[in-house]
């Protein structure tokens, strides 16, 4: 219903590429993080610009092309690499296409689509995550520049990016009208990576803490009008949450299929464990939850692609997909028993990776707050 023949061809193309050039290295990259060269390879194959206009080096596809990429990354258990690619293609770069000047698109979007420069987005701060309006990073205007000062934390691709989209207060007294977005090249003096952080899952990606210390950014690198940053950020977050939901559901589907096959193969008390009603029903519950949320996710993707702004449904997709992904991974561990707890079986990593989904891009609790607001609560 949502995917054309061209999407299915794209799916097979991406699948073959991942099987050949990514999957064999995933375990190694869990230890070392992925090399930048793989992002370049994604760029060469056109995967970083699937839904971007041809004039900027993209493939000119629709939103479902991006959905296909996200689903295939999840299906191949790409975890941290999948998140890094999604940050690049669906979080840091969409605002440049939507709000950027022609010069900004040439300077920042085109190299990102080619894979020459990895993109990051920095909103979260040590004292402001869910409560983003509490962020303290400032951008003071001075002679054709903005001077950025502040700290950002948990920034995916932060240590390896070519540029970072930074949210800062350009007018600290103006409340929500006082935020602006800035495109900050990594080599700008005053842009420091203070540390990379160790974490529970998503090990193949890097997560950085950044410091902006009298970081002089040309005024031309402000994205959109001054003071419009909050609105732009809220728009960005919708896309971020929706693509996260697509990946979570595809990941849950892959984990379910793995657990089902295992249950058919594993013998206990002289029969496959899948023949025990408790296991069979658990598998059915997993499949049902995935199917229901996937239907909502696809419908919402179609609405987003058609230019609608369905905040309630996007938040529902983000919340439910994250919960389902974690529950399904947990169920899968139970079905695999001791093997499920072992790193050599993929459900252990799937559980660790999926756990982020209930926190990143807005926590479960914040999704519920947003949904409540749409009901006037
Ligand atoms: C691996 C990883 C990668 C990330 N990548 C990026 C990135 O690339 N760029 C970026 O900018 N950020 C990134 N983040 C940050 C992420 O978006 C935040 O962690 C998330 O928004 C939550 O913020 P916080 O960690 O400050 O938690 P807090 O806001 O401190 O929340 C702590 C707890 O309090 C709850 N809480 C807070 N407010 C309320 C409320 N009003 N009602 C009920 N409960 C509430 C939360 O739900 C949570 O349970 C990343 C995070 C991680 C872990």
């Amino acid at each position: 219903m949502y995917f054309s023949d061209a999407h299915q061809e794209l799916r097979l193309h991406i699948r073959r590429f991942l099987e050949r050039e990514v999957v064999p290295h995933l375990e190694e990259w869990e230890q070392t993080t992925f090399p930048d060269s793989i992002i370049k390879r994604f760029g060469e194959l056109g995967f970083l610009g699937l839904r971007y206009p041809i004039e900027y080096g993209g493939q000119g596809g629709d939103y479902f092309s991006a959905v296909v990429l996200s689903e295939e990354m999840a299906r191949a258990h790409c975890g941290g690499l999948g998140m890094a690619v999604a940050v690049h293609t669906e979080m840091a770069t969409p605002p440049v296409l939507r709000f950027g000047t022609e010069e900004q698109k040439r300077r920042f979007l085109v190299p990102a689509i080619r894979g020459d420069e990895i993109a990051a987005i920095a909103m979260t701060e040590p004292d402001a995550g869910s409560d983003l309006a509490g962020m303290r990073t400032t951008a003071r205007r001075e002679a054709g520049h903005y001077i950025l000062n502040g700290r950002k934390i948990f920034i995916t691709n932060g240590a390896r990016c070519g540029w970072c989209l930074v949210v800062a207060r350009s007018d600290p007294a103006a409340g929500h009208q006082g935020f602006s977005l800035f495109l900050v090249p990594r080599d700008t003096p005053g842009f420091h990576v203070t540390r990379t952080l160790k974490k529970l899952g998503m090990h193949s990606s890097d997560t950085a803490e950044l410091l902006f210390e009298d970081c002089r950014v040309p005024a031309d690198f402000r994205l959109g009008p001054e003071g419009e940053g909050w609105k732009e950020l809220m728009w960005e977050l919708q896309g971020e949450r929706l693509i996260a939901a697509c990946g979570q559901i595809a990941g849950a589907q892959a984990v379910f299929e793995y657990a089902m096959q295992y249950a058919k193969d594993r013998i206990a008390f002289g029969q496959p464990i899948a023949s025990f009603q408790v296991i069979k029903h658990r598998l059915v519950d997993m499949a049902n939850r995935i199917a229901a949320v996937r239907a909502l996710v696809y419908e919402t993707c179609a609405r987003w692609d058609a230019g609608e702004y369905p905040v309630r449904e996007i938040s529902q997709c983000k919340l439910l997909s994250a919960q389902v992904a974690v529950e399904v991974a947990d169920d899968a561990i139970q079905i695999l028993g001791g093997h499920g707890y072992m790193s050599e079986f993929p459900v252990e990593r799937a559980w660790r990776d999926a756990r982020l989904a209930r926190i990143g891009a807005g926590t479960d609790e914040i999704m519920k707050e947003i949904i409540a607001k749409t009901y006037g609560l």
Side-chain angles (χ1 to χ4, degrees), residues 14-86:
I14 294 173
R15 193 171 292 181
R16 276 195 294 266
F17 159 70
L18 293 177
E19 280 166 2
R20 225 176 26 240
E21 298 188 40
V22 171
V23 173
H25 305 289
L26 283 177
E27 280 311 317
E28 176 196 336
W29 295 345
E30 283 290 290
Q31 312 302 323
T32 60
T33 75
F34 62 82
D36 292 355
S37 57
I38 195 66
I39 299 294
K40 176 75 188 147
R41 194 70 188 114
F42 272 73
E44 283 165 2
L45 294 168
F47 298 158
L48 301 179
L50 290 172
R51 66 182 187 87
Y52 286 84
I54 289 165
E55 58 189 298
Y56 301 119
Q59 307 300 305
D62 63 2
Y63 190 70
F64 280 92
S65 317
V67 174
V68 167
L69 176 63
S70 150
E71 289 185 336
E72 287 305 309
M73 296 294 284
R75 182 183 175 276
H77 299 287
C78 285
L81 175 62
M83 174 171 75
V85 168

Side-chain angles (χ1 to χ4, degrees), residues 97-232:
L97 179 66
R98 188 167 172 101
F99 306 113
T101 61
E102 190 55 32
E103 291 73 39
Q104 288 171 342
K105 288 174 194 169
R106 299 277 160 211
R107 164 64 186 85
F108 294 98
L109 184 59
V110 170
I113 288 174
R114 273 203 308 259
D116 289 342
E117 287 193 344
I118 298 174
I121 178 167
M123 46 193 142
T124 309
E125 299 187 358
D127 296 317
S130 303
D131 183 14
L132 275 176
M135 71 177 75
R136 293 190 195 155
T137 299
T138 54
R140 180 170 42 85
R141 189 147 193 169
E142 191 183 282
H145 284 78
Y146 285 89
I147 316 297
L148 266 59
N149 278 289
R151 281 180 190 280
K152 297 288 180 184
I153 199 165
F154 306 146
I155 307 308
T156 304
N157 295 342
R160 65 170 82 228
C161 66
W163 56 265
C164 183
L165 180 59
V166 180
V167 190
R169 284 180 180 275
S170 46
D171 182 354
H176 286 102
Q177 280 72 49
F179 293 96
S180 300
L181 305 185
F182 298 91
L183 292 156
V184 187
R186 170 74 183 84
D187 57 8
T188 310
F191 183 147
H192 306 291
V193 176
T194 39
R195 59 185 177 133
T196 50
L197 300 151
K198 289 194 175 151
K199 50 194 185 292
L200 175 69
M202 299 293 196
H203 287 166
S204 64
S205 71
D206 63 284
T207 308
E209 184 173 310
L210 308 179
L211 169 67
F212 297 94
E213 199 176 30
D214 290 330
C215 181
R216 280 172 74 83
V217 181
D220 290 347
F221 289 177
R222 189 193 68 228
L223 188 66
E226 187 173 300
E228 293 284 304
W230 186 260
K231 251 193 271 169
E232 295 166 350

Side-chain angles (χ1 to χ4, degrees), residues 294-323:
R294 187 169 39 215
L296 178 65
V297 169
Y298 282 165
E299 186 191 298
T300 308
C301 287
R303 292 179 61 190
W304 181 246
D305 197 28
E308 290 185 41
Y309 199 69
V311 171
R312 176 190 296 164
E313 288 77 8
I314 288 175
S315 310
Q316 289 172 328
C317 288
K318 161 71 174 64
L319 172 69
L320 295 172
S321 65
Q323 291 177 340

